[in-house]
Structures are given as C-alpha cells and as structure tokens.
C-alpha cells in the first residue's frame, strides 16, 4: 500500500520577497505561476523554474529573494 506524506502547518503568512530579510518557512504555496528564488535552510540559493499555480513546495527556506522571483501570491507555511 502506498503512503502519502502529508505535512501540516500551524501558521501561514503572505510573503513579500526580499533579498535581505530573513523569512523562515517550512513550505511555500505559489498562487501565481513563475520562477521562485530562495535561500534554503542549508544555505543554498536555488531558483525553481516555472512553478505552477497551486504548487506547495515542501522546502525549508530562510529567504525568498526578490531578484529572479516572478511567481506571485506567495504564502509561507510554518
């Protein structure tokens, strides 16, 4: 039998991308398609290309960068 990995979160907040502000989230909901550039909790900067509407990316991040981020209506989940 296949098991689904279902995460739950206690808080949610709208994200304003910033190249300097620390923003700690366990996952990100993407409301408007586009690219998403983040600094992971491990310190890597990565760009997720063409993230579709409604995607929830289960990545722990410390920053959501404004440079190279074109996705909109982002919500941080923690």
């Amino acid at each position: 039998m296949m098991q689904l990995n279902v995460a739950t979160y206690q808080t949610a907040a709208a994200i304003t991308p910033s190249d300097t502000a620390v923003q700690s989230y366990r996952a990100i909901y993407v409301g408007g398609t586009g690219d998403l550039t983040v600094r992971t909790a491990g310190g890597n900067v990565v760009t997720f290309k063409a993230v579709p509407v409604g995607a929830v990316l289960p990545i722990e991040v410390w920053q959501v960068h404004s440079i190279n981020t074109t996705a909109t209506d982002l919500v941080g989940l923690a």
Side-chain angles (χ1 to χ4, degrees), residues 15-16 19 23 27 38 40 43 54 56-57 59 62 65 72:
I15 295 175
T16 300
D19 295 322
Q23 307 173 48
V38 300
T40 67
V56 175
L57 300 178
I59 52 172
W62 286 23
H65 289 269
T72 59

Side-chain angles (χ1 to χ4, degrees), residues 11-22:
T11 62
I15 295 175
T16 300
S18 169
D19 295 322
T20 57
V22 174

Side-chain angles (χ1 to χ4, degrees), residues 34-57:
D35 297 348
L36 177 65
T37 300
V38 300
R39 179 176 304 278
T40 67
N44 302 69
V45 175
V46 63
T47 299
F48 295 90
K49 295 291 208 173
V51 181
V53 170
V56 175
L57 300 178

Side-chain angles (χ1 to χ4, degrees), residues 64-78:
V64 177
H65 289 269
S66 59
I67 292 177
N68 298 324
T69 293
T70 58
T72 59
D73 299 324
L74 303 173
V75 178
L77 306 169

